[in-house]
Amino acid sequence: MSNNRESLQVDPPITEKNNVVVTEDTGYRVVINQPDQNVNLKFPKNNEIHTSKYTPINFIFKNLWEQFHRIANCYFLFIALLQLIPGVSPVSPYNTIIPLIFVLSVTAVKEAYEDFQRRKTDSKMNHQKTRVLRDGKWQDMTWADIVVGDMVKVKKGQGFPADLLLLSSSEDMGIVYIDTCSLDGETNLKLKQALPETSGLTHKRLLTEFDATIEYEGPNNAIYVFRGSLSVAGSDKLPLEAKQILLRGCVLRNTEWCVGIALYTSHQTKLMMNSTEAPSKRSALERKMNQVLISIFVYFVVICACCTLLSFLWTQAHYSETWYLAFDTGSRLDSLMNIFTFIISFSVMIPISLYVTLEGVKVIQAKWIDWDIEMYDEDTDTPA
């Protein structure tokens, strides 16, 4: 056992506060060292993960859908459509359409760049190397190539490529120490221990000859809960619990190596089951502006309604006197249509130039943060 031992922490007890959500599933069954019997439609075909929001096919439509959830964009689109009506708009529609397209384009480019970075991170993660026991020998394979039932060897300082059942380790009694900071934010190391019946599987020959079957629950998001059993040939079923499970997102510490069986891969791992889709970013300033915009819009509608009413009353009162305006019998009703002209005329109360400026400021500030040398991580070559 390593002398350089950090503080340890065991898994918390199972309580109702864990907010466990278990999917309805009949359970999984894996036969060790017999991959042909592990062909199951429930299992992912590989261990790839994808956290990006968009695809080349749905980017334009999905991005526009998200952008028009902003009140300001809907407002300016409405004004631009009104300006396209002949005889209603006193100004050119390009005054609104061009700035609106600029705002939408800048936001779309920014979203595309961020999603591209997610794809790069996913690709880097999927192409990490690990050791997998196949055809009686250890092979270097990418994380993406791991399938359920594979026997995986992880060395100190490496992350676990999938949710693994711990079989053995370099320590006595199959003990390992793992860092779960990326999973639950806790910095203390946690202790995991293999079953006594498997802790002696420390050599390739023993691992290759190991004959057993694992039956366990279907994928769920409960990181502190696991229910299953291990049936070793010639013995009774051995109960499995969370103490024997190594979750993706954790890192092996203070242990030279460990060997485990992949139980959950890809988006069925507990890490991915607990992850959510990348949210659309809304700053506090933007949320405040939306509130102010609603107040201004109410005031704006009241002004347009009052001006339209006054236009109707004036037309009705001076219908017969102002012959030089060439009023006809329908002019009094036409005056009610002036509300659209007033809406366009008073639309400058909510200036689109403000949103153009804000989008430019966001881009510039983001670049300044990226260029800040004090926020640059030299070890991982990662800017802020």
Side-chain angles (χ1 to χ4, degrees):
M1 195 174 300
S2 176
N3 294 326
N4 183 24
R5 185 179 303 168
E6 301 179 32
S7 57
L8 304 178
Q9 182 173 340
V10 298
D11 291 337
I14 302 171
T15 65
E16 295 181 357
K17 294 182 180 180
N18 291 132
N19 192 22
V20 175
V21 179
V22 180
T23 58
E24 295 183 0
D25 200 298
T26 56
Y28 284 176
R29 181 176 182 271
V30 171
V31 181
I32 299 177
N33 287 321
Q34 297 186 36
D36 295 340
Q37 297 191 33
N38 296 331
V39 178
N40 191 324
L41 295 178
K42 302 175 186 176
F43 296 153
K45 295 180 180 180
N46 51 44
N47 193 34
E48 287 186 354
I49 61 168
H50 303 282
T51 61
S52 55
K53 290 173 59 176
Y54 306 105
T55 66
I57 298 176
N58 70 10
F59 175 76
I60 294 178
F61 303 102
K62 191 173 182 179
N63 184 259
L64 287 177
W65 171 258
E66 290 188 356
Q67 290 206 55
F68 280 108
H69 276 70
R70 297 176 178 174
I71 299 175
N73 290 342
C74 293
Y75 169 78
F76 292 124
L77 178 63
F78 172 68
I79 296 299
L81 292 176
L82 283 182
Q83 291 176 343
L84 293 174
I85 302 176
V88 172
S89 175
V91 297
S92 171
Y94 297 109
N95 292 342
T96 302
I97 293 177
I98 293 179
L100 178 61
I101 292 176
F102 175 79
V103 172
L104 297 177
S105 300
V106 170
T107 305
V109 170
K110 184 172 61 176
E111 287 282 338
Y113 175 76
E114 291 178 354
D115 204 59
F116 175 71
Q117 295 301 315
R118 294 189 195 99
R119 284 181 174 273
K120 285 180 60 178
T121 302
D122 291 344
S123 179
K124 181 179 179 181
M125 187 71 65
N126 290 331
H127 287 84
Q128 289 190 83
K129 295 289 186 177
T130 191
R131 302 276 283 173
V132 178
L133 185 61
R134 285 189 183 175
D135 300 326
K137 57 183 179 180
W138 291 108
Q139 302 180 26
D140 289 326
M141 304 184 67
T142 63
W143 284 22
D145 294 328
I146 295 175
V147 296
V148 173
D150 275 343
M151 198 171 289
V152 181
K153 185 175 186 178
V154 179
K155 296 183 179 180
K156 182 170 67 174
Q158 294 180 343
F160 300 112
D163 290 352
L164 309 176
L165 169 64
L166 176 62
L167 293 181
S168 60
S169 73
S170 59
E171 301 292 332
D172 297 334
M173 298 180 294
I175 292 175
V176 299
Y177 305 96
I178 63 172
D179 180 357
T180 63
C181 182
S182 298
L183 191 65
D184 55 18
E186 298 181 5
T187 57
N188 294 333
L189 294 184
K190 291 184 179 178
L191 174 68
K192 300 286 184 176
Q193 184 173 8
L195 293 174
E197 289 77 5
T198 66
S199 61
L201 302 175
T202 56
H203 299 286
K204 182 177 66 176
R205 181 181 58 82
L206 297 176
L207 291 169
T208 305
E209 296 174 353
F210 186 53
D211 184 12
T213 301
I214 309 170
E215 296 179 351
Y216 55 102
E217 61 189 356
N220 60 74
N221 70 339
I223 62 176
Y224 299 124
V225 179
F226 182 80
R227 303 176 184 89
S229 64
L230 176 68
S231 300
V232 182
S235 65
D236 297 331
K237 288 187 177 181
L238 305 172
L240 299 173
E241 54 185 0
K243 185 169 65 173
Q244 284 89 43
I245 303 302
L246 308 173
L247 300 181
R248 178 170 184 149
C250 301
V251 179
L252 184 65
R253 302 291 187 191
N254 291 359
T255 308
E256 291 301 320
W257 56 264
C258 70
V259 176
I261 297 291
L263 300 182
Y264 302 117
T265 58
S266 189
H267 289 266
Q268 291 188 353
T269 60
K270 294 182 183 292
L271 173 66
M272 298 306 297
M273 294 285 286
N274 279 281
S275 65
T276 57
E277 184 178 355
S280 298
K281 298 178 181 178
R282 297 286 187 273
S283 64
L285 175 61
E286 186 174 345
R287 290 193 293 268
K288 183 65 176 178
M289 285 183 59
N290 283 340
Q291 297 175 1
V292 173
L293 178 60
I294 293 174
S295 301
I296 295 177
F297 184 75
V298 171
Y299 178 64
F300 166 76
V301 170
V302 170
I303 290 179
C304 292
C306 290
C307 290
T308 303
L309 178 60
L310 291 175
S311 174
F312 173 77
L313 294 176
W314 187 91
T315 302
Q316 190 174 28
H318 299 85
Y319 171 74
S320 57
E321 300 174 5
T322 54
W323 54 269
Y324 49 86
L325 294 179
F327 284 144
D328 54 28
T329 54
S331 296
R332 283 173 290 184
L333 293 177
D334 290 342
S335 63
L336 294 177
M337 300 299 293
N338 286 338
I339 186 171
F340 297 113
T341 302
F342 288 126
I343 288 175
I344 295 173
S345 300
F346 293 135
S347 63
V348 293
M349 293 178 63
I350 305 175
I352 192 171
S353 59
L354 172 63
Y355 289 87
V356 174
T357 304
L358 279 178
E359 288 301 322
V361 168
K362 289 178 183 178
V363 172
I364 295 174
Q365 287 181 335
K367 295 309 297 181
W368 276 115
I369 293 174
D370 282 344
W371 294 336
D372 192 339
I373 193 63
E374 295 184 3
M375 300 178 72
Y376 170 73
D377 184 18
E378 186 175 358
D379 294 337
T380 59
D381 189 27
T382 306

